[in-house]
Amino acid sequence: DAGVIQSPRHEVTEMGQEVTLRCKPISGHNSLFWYRQTMMRGLELLIYFNNNVPIDDSGMPEDRFSAKMPNASFSTLKIQPSEPRDSAVYFCASGVDSGANVLTFGAGSRLTVL
Amino acid sequence: SQQGEEDPQALSIQEGENATMNCSYKTSINNLQWYRQNSGRGLVHLILIRSNEREKHSGRLRVTLDTSKKSSSLLITASRAADTASYFCAAGSGGSYIPTFGRGTSLIVHP
């Protein structure tokens, strides 16, 4: 397996633009997480899917953020409109929720909003 | 789920020395995990210890869990420069385990 695949690896955009981050989890994993990492706030959980269903989105900062998982092999995190404070590294991770989600992380998408 | 808090925030040692970092949590757990993050990379799972275990080993890693003190420690023996990374813990409880992380311990191993 190629692991968790995220794209793009780097994105530079201007304030107000729409940003879409993509994730392909490991085949067979039934849980998927989106995290955001910054120096100020550390690693924050944004949203958690189980069997493609959003279970906990309490970490999503505001309505500008949305996440979807249309099928077991694909998820997106969208920011619209983007703001400079959204600049961060966004990680997708997948696991098997069998009482202990051991996660495999993607390489991350580094977002810079100018 | 709940967040683990790691300490110290930063640790600097010489190659060959042992490195110990700690994790504290607030409520009862089912298990606790440790992860490593190399600069610019995603987190990598190191080890999981269940609430009914007190100690677990994996290569040069030793993890202990003290549920009475709600704390865990990660010991890296005979450290190497390649161990330079940030280390995170995630404590899990409840039916659906949702790993949430603290700020991590930044370990620098000088060659």
Side-chain angles (χ1 to χ4, degrees):
Chain A
D1 202 317
V4 176
I5 300 172
Q6 291 188 245
S7 65
R9 289 295 313 278
H10 301 273
E11 172 109 5
V12 179
T13 189
E14 293 190 346
M15 183 173 64
Q17 296 298 306
E18 178 179 296
V19 173
T20 299
L21 307 178
R22 298 172 178 81
C23 175
K24 177 176 166 51
I26 290 176
S27 177
H29 282 187
N30 66 341
S31 61
L32 184 139
F33 300 78
W34 283 98
Y35 293 90
R36 175 172 72 175
Q37 187 173 38
T38 61
M39 290 292 292
M40 291 287 290
R41 294 181 174 169
L43 194 62
E44 302 174 275
L45 173 65
L46 299 178
I47 188 167
Y48 160 52
F49 291 88
N50 186 277
N51 292 320
N52 313 338
V53 176
I55 302 299
D56 184 351
D57 65 355
S58 59
M60 296 286 264
E62 48 198 274
D63 291 346
R64 298 185 297 107
F65 285 69
S66 62
K68 293 183 179 180
M69 193 164 185
N71 57 62
S73 59
F74 184 65
S75 177
T76 59
L77 177 67
K78 187 175 292 187
I79 308 171
Q80 167 63 19
S82 59
E83 296 182 2
R85 60 193 167 121
D86 301 330
S87 296
V89 180
Y90 291 81
F91 288 102
C92 174
S94 69
V96 178
D97 188 359
S98 57
N101 258 315
V102 174
L103 300 186
T104 302
F105 278 73
S109 293
R110 180 175 294 276
L111 172 65
T112 303
V113 183
L114 303 175
Chain B
S1 193
Q2 61 178 297
Q3 187 176 36
E5 293 293 339
E6 302 88 353
D7 90 278
Q9 288 190 348
L11 185 59
S12 180
I13 61 174
Q14 294 296 126
E15 207 165 33
E17 294 180 342
N18 295 341
T20 300
M21 51 207 88
N22 305 296
C23 171
S24 60
Y25 55 91
K26 294 181 179 172
T27 62
S28 297
I29 62 169
N30 295 335
N31 56 71
L32 186 141
Q33 301 181 40
W34 284 92
Y35 288 77
R36 182 189 73 225
Q37 184 181 32
N38 289 92
S39 181
R41 304 284 185 93
L43 277 67
V44 174
H45 181 260
L46 293 176
I47 198 165
L48 178 150
I49 187 165
R50 301 189 187 278
S51 58
N52 61 353
E53 297 175 310
R54 291 297 167 258
E55 187 170 310
K56 202 161 182 179
H57 297 255
S58 177
R60 294 183 296 111
L61 305 181
R62 187 184 82 151
V63 169
T64 60
L65 180 64
D66 187 334
T67 53
S68 66
K69 294 181 179 177
K70 294 185 172 55
S71 67
S72 173
S73 66
L74 171 66
L75 168 67
I76 303 174
T77 60
S79 63
R80 305 167 181 169
D83 295 327
T84 294
S86 291
Y87 292 81
F88 296 83
C89 67
S93 58
S96 195
Y97 184 95
I98 304 176
T100 53
F101 300 90
R103 292 183 172 274
T105 292
S106 175
L107 172 66
I108 297 175
V109 181
H110 299 279

PDB file of all heavy atoms in Angstrom, chain A residues 71-109:
ATOM      1  N   ASN A  71     -16.834   8.608  -0.455  1.00  0.00           N
ATOM      2  CA  ASN A  71     -16.667   7.152  -0.465  1.00  0.00           C
ATOM      3  C   ASN A  71     -15.468   6.792   0.398  1.00  0.00           C
ATOM      4  O   ASN A  71     -14.764   7.686   0.895  1.00  0.00           O
ATOM      5  CB  ASN A  71     -16.510   6.628  -1.903  1.00  0.00           C
ATOM      6  CG  ASN A  71     -15.356   7.281  -2.631  1.00  0.00           C
ATOM      7  OD1 ASN A  71     -14.210   7.141  -2.220  1.00  0.00           O
ATOM      8  ND2 ASN A  71     -15.666   7.995  -3.712  1.00  0.00           N
ATOM      9  N   ALA A  72     -15.233   5.510   0.532  1.00  0.00           N
ATOM     10  CA  ALA A  72     -14.200   5.035   1.463  1.00  0.00           C
ATOM     11  C   ALA A  72     -12.783   5.357   1.010  1.00  0.00           C
ATOM     12  O   ALA A  72     -11.838   5.188   1.786  1.00  0.00           O
ATOM     13  CB  ALA A  72     -14.335   3.526   1.662  1.00  0.00           C
ATOM     14  N   SER A  73     -12.616   5.804  -0.218  1.00  0.00           N
ATOM     15  CA  SER A  73     -11.260   6.011  -0.720  1.00  0.00           C
ATOM     16  C   SER A  73     -10.940   7.472  -1.000  1.00  0.00           C
ATOM     17  O   SER A  73      -9.919   7.782  -1.610  1.00  0.00           O
ATOM     18  CB  SER A  73     -11.045   5.179  -1.995  1.00  0.00           C
ATOM     19  OG  SER A  73     -11.967   5.551  -2.987  1.00  0.00           O
ATOM     20  N   PHE A  74     -11.785   8.395  -0.521  1.00  0.00           N
ATOM     21  CA  PHE A  74     -11.522   9.787  -0.872  1.00  0.00           C
ATOM     22  C   PHE A  74     -12.194  10.731   0.121  1.00  0.00           C
ATOM     23  O   PHE A  74     -13.346  10.546   0.490  1.00  0.00           O
ATOM     24  CB  PHE A  74     -12.049  10.060  -2.289  1.00  0.00           C
ATOM     25  CG  PHE A  74     -11.745  11.431  -2.808  1.00  0.00           C
ATOM     26  CD1 PHE A  74     -10.432  11.822  -3.041  1.00  0.00           C
ATOM     27  CD2 PHE A  74     -12.762  12.331  -3.080  1.00  0.00           C
ATOM     28  CE1 PHE A  74     -10.140  13.083  -3.534  1.00  0.00           C
ATOM     29  CE2 PHE A  74     -12.488  13.597  -3.575  1.00  0.00           C
ATOM     30  CZ  PHE A  74     -11.173  13.980  -3.807  1.00  0.00           C
ATOM     31  N   SER A  75     -11.442  11.765   0.497  1.00  0.00           N
ATOM     32  CA  SER A  75     -11.991  12.802   1.353  1.00  0.00           C
ATOM     33  C   SER A  75     -11.429  14.153   0.938  1.00  0.00           C
ATOM     34  O   SER A  75     -10.311  14.232   0.414  1.00  0.00           O
ATOM     35  CB  SER A  75     -11.652  12.546   2.825  1.00  0.00           C
ATOM     36  OG  SER A  75     -12.129  13.597   3.650  1.00  0.00           O
ATOM     37  N   THR A  76     -12.206  15.195   1.138  1.00  0.00           N
ATOM     38  CA  THR A  76     -11.744  16.547   0.854  1.00  0.00           C
ATOM     39  C   THR A  76     -11.983  17.448   2.053  1.00  0.00           C
ATOM     40  O   THR A  76     -12.923  17.255   2.824  1.00  0.00           O
ATOM     41  CB  THR A  76     -12.476  17.159  -0.358  1.00  0.00           C
ATOM     42  OG1 THR A  76     -13.879  17.192  -0.085  1.00  0.00           O
ATOM     43  CG2 THR A  76     -12.198  16.364  -1.624  1.00  0.00           C
ATOM     44  N   LEU A  77     -11.099  18.420   2.185  1.00  0.00           N
ATOM     45  CA  LEU A  77     -11.262  19.493   3.167  1.00  0.00           C
ATOM     46  C   LEU A  77     -11.233  20.791   2.372  1.00  0.00           C
ATOM     47  O   LEU A  77     -10.272  21.059   1.656  1.00  0.00           O
ATOM     48  CB  LEU A  77     -10.133  19.467   4.193  1.00  0.00           C
ATOM     49  CG  LEU A  77     -10.149  20.578   5.244  1.00  0.00           C
ATOM     50  CD1 LEU A  77     -11.347  20.430   6.176  1.00  0.00           C
ATOM     51  CD2 LEU A  77      -8.854  20.564   6.063  1.00  0.00           C
ATOM     52  N   LYS A  78     -12.301  21.561   2.494  1.00  0.00           N
ATOM     53  CA  LYS A  78     -12.415  22.773   1.695  1.00  0.00           C
ATOM     54  C   LYS A  78     -12.465  23.985   2.612  1.00  0.00           C
ATOM     55  O   LYS A  78     -13.119  23.957   3.673  1.00  0.00           O
ATOM     56  CB  LYS A  78     -13.683  22.706   0.835  1.00  0.00           C
ATOM     57  CG  LYS A  78     -13.830  23.836  -0.157  1.00  0.00           C
ATOM     58  CD  LYS A  78     -15.047  23.625  -1.059  1.00  0.00           C
ATOM     59  CE  LYS A  78     -14.856  22.462  -1.975  1.00  0.00           C
ATOM     60  NZ  LYS A  78     -15.953  22.332  -2.974  1.00  0.00           N
ATOM     61  N   ILE A  79     -11.784  25.026   2.192  1.00  0.00           N
ATOM     62  CA  ILE A  79     -11.810  26.299   2.909  1.00  0.00           C
ATOM     63  C   ILE A  79     -12.268  27.351   1.909  1.00  0.00           C
ATOM     64  O   ILE A  79     -11.659  27.553   0.871  1.00  0.00           O
ATOM     65  CB  ILE A  79     -10.422  26.688   3.457  1.00  0.00           C
ATOM     66  CG1 ILE A  79      -9.819  25.540   4.274  1.00  0.00           C
ATOM     67  CG2 ILE A  79     -10.544  27.942   4.333  1.00  0.00           C
ATOM     68  CD1 ILE A  79      -8.373  25.758   4.678  1.00  0.00           C
ATOM     69  N   GLN A  80     -13.363  28.018   2.228  1.00  0.00           N
ATOM     70  CA  GLN A  80     -13.922  29.015   1.326  1.00  0.00           C
ATOM     71  C   GLN A  80     -14.682  30.069   2.116  1.00  0.00           C
ATOM     72  O   GLN A  80     -15.700  29.735   2.748  1.00  0.00           O
ATOM     73  CB  GLN A  80     -14.853  28.347   0.310  1.00  0.00           C
ATOM     74  CG  GLN A  80     -15.745  29.272  -0.489  1.00  0.00           C
ATOM     75  CD  GLN A  80     -15.005  30.238  -1.376  1.00  0.00           C
ATOM     76  OE1 GLN A  80     -13.828  30.041  -1.687  1.00  0.00           O
ATOM     77  NE2 GLN A  80     -15.658  31.322  -1.765  1.00  0.00           N
ATOM     78  N   PRO A  81     -14.262  31.328   2.105  1.00  0.00           N
ATOM     79  CA  PRO A  81     -13.024  31.840   1.531  1.00  0.00           C
ATOM     80  C   PRO A  81     -11.849  31.644   2.483  1.00  0.00           C
ATOM     81  O   PRO A  81     -12.036  31.616   3.701  1.00  0.00           O
ATOM     82  CB  PRO A  81     -13.341  33.326   1.373  1.00  0.00           C
ATOM     83  CG  PRO A  81     -14.261  33.626   2.524  1.00  0.00           C
ATOM     84  CD  PRO A  81     -15.091  32.374   2.709  1.00  0.00           C
ATOM     85  N   SER A  82     -10.665  31.522   1.947  1.00  0.00           N
ATOM     86  CA  SER A  82      -9.488  31.344   2.794  1.00  0.00           C
ATOM     87  C   SER A  82      -9.012  32.680   3.369  1.00  0.00           C
ATOM     88  O   SER A  82      -9.254  33.755   2.794  1.00  0.00           O
ATOM     89  CB  SER A  82      -8.360  30.687   1.989  1.00  0.00           C
ATOM     90  OG  SER A  82      -8.024  31.487   0.875  1.00  0.00           O
ATOM     91  N   GLU A  83      -8.364  32.577   4.535  1.00  0.00           N
ATOM     92  CA  GLU A  83      -7.815  33.755   5.215  1.00  0.00           C
ATOM     93  C   GLU A  83      -6.371  33.452   5.616  1.00  0.00           C
ATOM     94  O   GLU A  83      -6.012  32.267   5.779  1.00  0.00           O
ATOM     95  CB  GLU A  83      -8.646  34.088   6.451  1.00  0.00           C
ATOM     96  CG  GLU A  83     -10.077  34.489   6.143  1.00  0.00           C
ATOM     97  CD  GLU A  83     -10.872  34.861   7.383  1.00  0.00           C
ATOM     98  OE1 GLU A  83     -10.294  34.854   8.500  1.00  0.00           O
ATOM     99  OE2 GLU A  83     -12.075  35.154   7.234  1.00  0.00           O
ATOM    100  N   PRO A  84      -5.558  34.498   5.814  1.00  0.00           N
ATOM    101  CA  PRO A  84      -4.155  34.261   6.190  1.00  0.00           C
ATOM    102  C   PRO A  84      -4.005  33.384   7.435  1.00  0.00           C
ATOM    103  O   PRO A  84      -3.065  32.592   7.534  1.00  0.00           O
ATOM    104  CB  PRO A  84      -3.621  35.679   6.413  1.00  0.00           C
ATOM    105  CG  PRO A  84      -4.421  36.522   5.477  1.00  0.00           C
ATOM    106  CD  PRO A  84      -5.801  35.927   5.501  1.00  0.00           C
ATOM    107  N   ARG A  85      -4.932  33.493   8.381  1.00  0.00           N
ATOM    108  CA  ARG A  85      -4.810  32.700   9.603  1.00  0.00           C
ATOM    109  C   ARG A  85      -5.078  31.213   9.375  1.00  0.00           C
ATOM    110  O   ARG A  85      -4.903  30.400  10.288  1.00  0.00           O
ATOM    111  CB  ARG A  85      -5.750  33.221  10.685  1.00  0.00           C
ATOM    112  CG  ARG A  85      -7.232  33.197  10.312  1.00  0.00           C
ATOM    113  CD  ARG A  85      -8.038  34.009  11.310  1.00  0.00           C
ATOM    114  NE  ARG A  85      -9.395  34.252  10.826  1.00  0.00           N
ATOM    115  CZ  ARG A  85     -10.480  33.865  11.470  1.00  0.00           C
ATOM    116  NH1 ARG A  85     -10.379  33.213  12.609  1.00  0.00           N
ATOM    117  NH2 ARG A  85     -11.682  34.140  10.989  1.00  0.00           N
ATOM    118  N   ASP A  86      -5.495  30.857   8.183  1.00  0.00           N
ATOM    119  CA  ASP A  86      -5.672  29.445   7.853  1.00  0.00           C
ATOM    120  C   ASP A  86      -4.351  28.795   7.440  1.00  0.00           C
ATOM    121  O   ASP A  86      -4.296  27.574   7.233  1.00  0.00           O
ATOM    122  CB  ASP A  86      -6.677  29.283   6.705  1.00  0.00           C
ATOM    123  CG  ASP A  86      -8.037  29.868   7.028  1.00  0.00           C
ATOM    124  OD1 ASP A  86      -8.414  29.880   8.217  1.00  0.00           O
ATOM    125  OD2 ASP A  86      -8.717  30.327   6.088  1.00  0.00           O
ATOM    126  N   SER A  87      -3.325  29.588   7.299  1.00  0.00           N
ATOM    127  CA  SER A  87      -2.016  29.049   6.917  1.00  0.00           C
ATOM    128  C   SER A  87      -1.552  28.043   7.964  1.00  0.00           C
ATOM    129  O   SER A  87      -1.504  28.338   9.160  1.00  0.00           O
ATOM    130  CB  SER A  87      -0.988  30.183   6.784  1.00  0.00           C
ATOM    131  OG  SER A  87      -1.354  31.065   5.742  1.00  0.00           O
ATOM    132  N   ALA A  88      -1.233  26.848   7.505  1.00  0.00           N
ATOM    133  CA  ALA A  88      -0.896  25.748   8.417  1.00  0.00           C
ATOM    134  C   ALA A  88      -0.525  24.542   7.573  1.00  0.00           C
ATOM    135  O   ALA A  88      -0.611  24.573   6.345  1.00  0.00           O
ATOM    136  CB  ALA A  88      -2.087  25.387   9.310  1.00  0.00           C
ATOM    137  N   VAL A  89      -0.124  23.480   8.253  1.00  0.00           N
ATOM    138  CA  VAL A  89       0.026  22.182   7.584  1.00  0.00           C
ATOM    139  C   VAL A  89      -1.192  21.355   7.965  1.00  0.00           C
ATOM    140  O   VAL A  89      -1.502  21.197   9.149  1.00  0.00           O
ATOM    141  CB  VAL A  89       1.314  21.459   7.996  1.00  0.00           C
ATOM    142  CG1 VAL A  89       1.408  20.119   7.254  1.00  0.00           C
ATOM    143  CG2 VAL A  89       2.541  22.316   7.707  1.00  0.00           C
ATOM    144  N   TYR A  90      -1.875  20.845   6.953  1.00  0.00           N
ATOM    145  CA  TYR A  90      -3.079  20.047   7.165  1.00  0.00           C
ATOM    146  C   TYR A  90      -2.731  18.581   6.918  1.00  0.00           C
ATOM    147  O   TYR A  90      -2.207  18.221   5.866  1.00  0.00           O
ATOM    148  CB  TYR A  90      -4.189  20.510   6.227  1.00  0.00           C
ATOM    149  CG  TYR A  90      -4.711  21.879   6.595  1.00  0.00           C
ATOM    150  CD1 TYR A  90      -4.022  23.033   6.202  1.00  0.00           C
ATOM    151  CD2 TYR A  90      -5.863  22.033   7.359  1.00  0.00           C
ATOM    152  CE1 TYR A  90      -4.474  24.294   6.563  1.00  0.00           C
ATOM    153  CE2 TYR A  90      -6.333  23.289   7.721  1.00  0.00           C
ATOM    154  CZ  TYR A  90      -5.632  24.409   7.328  1.00  0.00           C
ATOM    155  OH  TYR A  90      -6.081  25.664   7.691  1.00  0.00           O
ATOM    156  N   PHE A  91      -3.037  17.766   7.913  1.00  0.00           N
ATOM    157  CA  PHE A  91      -2.748  16.345   7.818  1.00  0.00           C
ATOM    158  C   PHE A  91      -4.044  15.543   7.739  1.00  0.00           C
ATOM    159  O   PHE A  91      -5.017  15.830   8.427  1.00  0.00           O
ATOM    160  CB  PHE A  91      -1.968  15.856   9.039  1.00  0.00           C
ATOM    161  CG  PHE A  91      -0.542  16.315   9.088  1.00  0.00           C
ATOM    162  CD1 PHE A  91      -0.168  17.365   9.909  1.00  0.00           C
ATOM    163  CD2 PHE A  91       0.426  15.689   8.321  1.00  0.00           C
ATOM    164  CE1 PHE A  91       1.153  17.790   9.966  1.00  0.00           C
ATOM    165  CE2 PHE A  91       1.749  16.103   8.366  1.00  0.00           C
ATOM    166  CZ  PHE A  91       2.109  17.160   9.178  1.00  0.00           C
ATOM    167  N   CYS A  92      -4.007  14.523   6.921  1.00  0.00           N
ATOM    168  CA  CYS A  92      -5.051  13.522   6.879  1.00  0.00           C
ATOM    169  C   CYS A  92      -4.459  12.239   7.460  1.00  0.00           C
ATOM    170  O   CYS A  92      -3.277  11.938   7.236  1.00  0.00           O
ATOM    171  CB  CYS A  92      -5.495  13.298   5.434  1.00  0.00           C
ATOM    172  SG  CYS A  92      -6.670  11.963   5.199  1.00  0.00           S
ATOM    173  N   ALA A  93      -5.241  11.512   8.229  1.00  0.00           N
ATOM    174  CA  ALA A  93      -4.780  10.252   8.808  1.00  0.00           C
ATOM    175  C   ALA A  93      -5.918   9.246   8.744  1.00  0.00           C
ATOM    176  O   ALA A  93      -7.093   9.612   8.867  1.00  0.00           O
ATOM    177  CB  ALA A  93      -4.326  10.451  10.247  1.00  0.00           C
ATOM    178  N   SER A  94      -5.575   7.987   8.549  1.00  0.00           N
ATOM    179  CA  SER A  94      -6.610   6.952   8.542  1.00  0.00           C
ATOM    180  C   SER A  94      -6.227   5.816   9.474  1.00  0.00           C
ATOM    181  O   SER A  94      -5.046   5.635   9.813  1.00  0.00           O
ATOM    182  CB  SER A  94      -6.861   6.431   7.123  1.00  0.00           C
ATOM    183  OG  SER A  94      -5.768   5.678   6.628  1.00  0.00           O
ATOM    184  N   GLY A  95      -7.234   5.065   9.905  1.00  0.00           N
ATOM    185  CA  GLY A  95      -6.994   3.962  10.814  1.00  0.00           C
ATOM    186  C   GLY A  95      -8.157   3.008  10.822  1.00  0.00           C
ATOM    187  O   GLY A  95      -9.152   3.204  10.115  1.00  0.00           O
ATOM    188  N   VAL A  96      -8.035   1.969  11.615  1.00  0.00           N
ATOM    189  CA  VAL A  96      -9.114   0.997  11.810  1.00  0.00           C
ATOM    190  C   VAL A  96      -9.640   1.201  13.211  1.00  0.00           C
ATOM    191  O   VAL A  96      -8.907   1.021  14.191  1.00  0.00           O
ATOM    192  CB  VAL A  96      -8.613  -0.446  11.628  1.00  0.00           C
ATOM    193  CG1 VAL A  96      -9.742  -1.426  11.887  1.00  0.00           C
ATOM    194  CG2 VAL A  96      -8.049  -0.637  10.233  1.00  0.00           C
ATOM    195  N   ASP A  97     -10.883   1.609  13.327  1.00  0.00           N
ATOM    196  CA  ASP A  97     -11.465   1.895  14.629  1.00  0.00           C
ATOM    197  C   ASP A  97     -11.966   0.600  15.251  1.00  0.00           C
ATOM    198  O   ASP A  97     -13.109   0.206  15.087  1.00  0.00           O
ATOM    199  CB  ASP A  97     -12.606   2.902  14.489  1.00  0.00           C
ATOM    200  CG  ASP A  97     -13.104   3.376  15.842  1.00  0.00           C
ATOM    201  OD1 ASP A  97     -12.578   2.904  16.871  1.00  0.00           O
ATOM    202  OD2 ASP A  97     -14.018   4.209  15.882  1.00  0.00           O
ATOM    203  N   SER A  98     -11.045  -0.059  15.942  1.00  0.00           N
ATOM    204  CA  SER A  98     -11.420  -1.303  16.618  1.00  0.00           C
ATOM    205  C   SER A  98     -11.199  -1.147  18.107  1.00  0.00           C
ATOM    206  O   SER A  98     -10.761  -2.063  18.778  1.00  0.00           O
ATOM    207  CB  SER A  98     -10.575  -2.459  16.068  1.00  0.00           C
ATOM    208  OG  SER A  98      -9.195  -2.164  16.239  1.00  0.00           O
ATOM    209  N   GLY A  99     -11.470   0.031  18.623  1.00  0.00           N
ATOM    210  CA  GLY A  99     -11.233   0.317  20.027  1.00  0.00           C
ATOM    211  C   GLY A  99      -9.914   1.014  20.254  1.00  0.00           C
ATOM    212  O   GLY A  99      -9.672   1.560  21.317  1.00  0.00           O
ATOM    213  N   ALA A 100      -9.068   1.008  19.251  1.00  0.00           N
ATOM    214  CA  ALA A 100      -7.789   1.728  19.335  1.00  0.00           C
ATOM    215  C   ALA A 100      -7.405   2.150  17.933  1.00  0.00           C
ATOM    216  O   ALA A 100      -6.859   1.365  17.172  1.00  0.00           O
ATOM    217  CB  ALA A 100      -6.703   0.855  19.934  1.00  0.00           C
ATOM    218  N   ASN A 101      -7.699   3.367  17.602  1.00  0.00           N
ATOM    219  CA  ASN A 101      -7.366   3.871  16.271  1.00  0.00           C
ATOM    220  C   ASN A 101      -5.865   4.113  16.176  1.00  0.00           C
ATOM    221  O   ASN A 101      -5.379   5.144  16.610  1.00  0.00           O
ATOM    222  CB  ASN A 101      -8.104   5.193  16.017  1.00  0.00           C
ATOM    223  CG  ASN A 101      -9.315   5.044  15.125  1.00  0.00           C
ATOM    224  OD1 ASN A 101      -9.243   4.377  14.103  1.00  0.00           O
ATOM    225  ND2 ASN A 101     -10.410   5.665  15.500  1.00  0.00           N
ATOM    226  N   VAL A 102      -5.131   3.164  15.614  1.00  0.00           N
ATOM    227  CA  VAL A 102      -3.717   3.401  15.328  1.00  0.00           C
ATOM    228  C   VAL A 102      -3.668   4.076  13.974  1.00  0.00           C
ATOM    229  O   VAL A 102      -4.077   3.500  12.969  1.00  0.00           O
ATOM    230  CB  VAL A 102      -2.924   2.088  15.324  1.00  0.00           C
ATOM    231  CG1 VAL A 102      -1.494   2.344  14.883  1.00  0.00           C
ATOM    232  CG2 VAL A 102      -2.949   1.456  16.720  1.00  0.00           C
ATOM    233  N   LEU A 103      -3.186   5.290  13.950  1.00  0.00           N
ATOM    234  CA  LEU A 103      -3.298   6.100  12.748  1.00  0.00           C
ATOM    235  C   LEU A 103      -2.060   6.052  11.870  1.00  0.00           C
ATOM    236  O   LEU A 103      -0.928   6.004  12.353  1.00  0.00           O
ATOM    237  CB  LEU A 103      -3.557   7.558  13.129  1.00  0.00           C
ATOM    238  CG  LEU A 103      -4.826   7.832  13.929  1.00  0.00           C
ATOM    239  CD1 LEU A 103      -5.018   9.325  14.104  1.00  0.00           C
ATOM    240  CD2 LEU A 103      -6.028   7.203  13.251  1.00  0.00           C
ATOM    241  N   THR A 104      -2.320   6.100  10.568  1.00  0.00           N
ATOM    242  CA  THR A 104      -1.281   6.317   9.577  1.00  0.00           C
ATOM    243  C   THR A 104      -1.521   7.692   8.987  1.00  0.00           C
ATOM    244  O   THR A 104      -2.627   7.961   8.485  1.00  0.00           O
ATOM    245  CB  THR A 104      -1.316   5.251   8.462  1.00  0.00           C
ATOM    246  OG1 THR A 104      -1.163   3.958   9.031  1.00  0.00           O
ATOM    247  CG2 THR A 104      -0.206   5.500   7.461  1.00  0.00           C
ATOM    248  N   PHE A 105      -0.510   8.542   9.086  1.00  0.00           N
ATOM    249  CA  PHE A 105      -0.642   9.916   8.617  1.00  0.00           C
ATOM    250  C   PHE A 105      -0.126  10.055   7.191  1.00  0.00           C
ATOM    251  O   PHE A 105       0.821   9.376   6.772  1.00  0.00           O
ATOM    252  CB  PHE A 105       0.165  10.862   9.507  1.00  0.00           C
ATOM    253  CG  PHE A 105      -0.534  11.253  10.777  1.00  0.00           C
ATOM    254  CD1 PHE A 105      -0.670  10.351  11.810  1.00  0.00           C
ATOM    255  CD2 PHE A 105      -1.055  12.527  10.933  1.00  0.00           C
ATOM    256  CE1 PHE A 105      -1.313  10.703  12.991  1.00  0.00           C
ATOM    257  CE2 PHE A 105      -1.701  12.894  12.101  1.00  0.00           C
ATOM    258  CZ  PHE A 105      -1.831  11.983  13.133  1.00  0.00           C
ATOM    259  N   GLY A 106      -0.738  10.997   6.466  1.00  0.00           N
ATOM    260  CA  GLY A 106      -0.178  11.419   5.199  1.00  0.00           C
ATOM    261  C   GLY A 106       0.974  12.385   5.432  1.00  0.00           C
ATOM    262  O   GLY A 106       1.280  12.746   6.567  1.00  0.00           O
ATOM    263  N   ALA A 107       1.585  12.801   4.343  1.00  0.00           N
ATOM    264  CA  ALA A 107       2.747  13.695   4.431  1.00  0.00           C
ATOM    265  C   ALA A 107       2.350  15.133   4.708  1.00  0.00           C
ATOM    266  O   ALA A 107       3.205  15.958   5.008  1.00  0.00           O
ATOM    267  CB  ALA A 107       3.562  13.613   3.151  1.00  0.00           C
ATOM    268  N   GLY A 108       1.071  15.434   4.590  1.00  0.00           N
ATOM    269  CA  GLY A 108       0.598  16.776   4.892  1.00  0.00           C
ATOM    270  C   GLY A 108       0.507  17.672   3.677  1.00  0.00           C
ATOM    271  O   GLY A 108       1.181  17.460   2.656  1.00  0.00           O
ATOM    272  N   SER A 109      -0.364  18.669   3.787  1.00  0.00           N
ATOM    273  CA  SER A 109      -0.490  19.715   2.765  1.00  0.00           C
ATOM    274  C   SER A 109      -0.180  21.036   3.444  1.00  0.00           C
ATOM    275  O   SER A 109      -0.879  21.436   4.381  1.00  0.00           O
ATOM    276  CB  SER A 109      -1.922  19.765   2.202  1.00  0.00           C
ATOM    277  OG  SER A 109      -2.230  18.604   1.474  1.00  0.00           O
TER     278      SER A 109
END
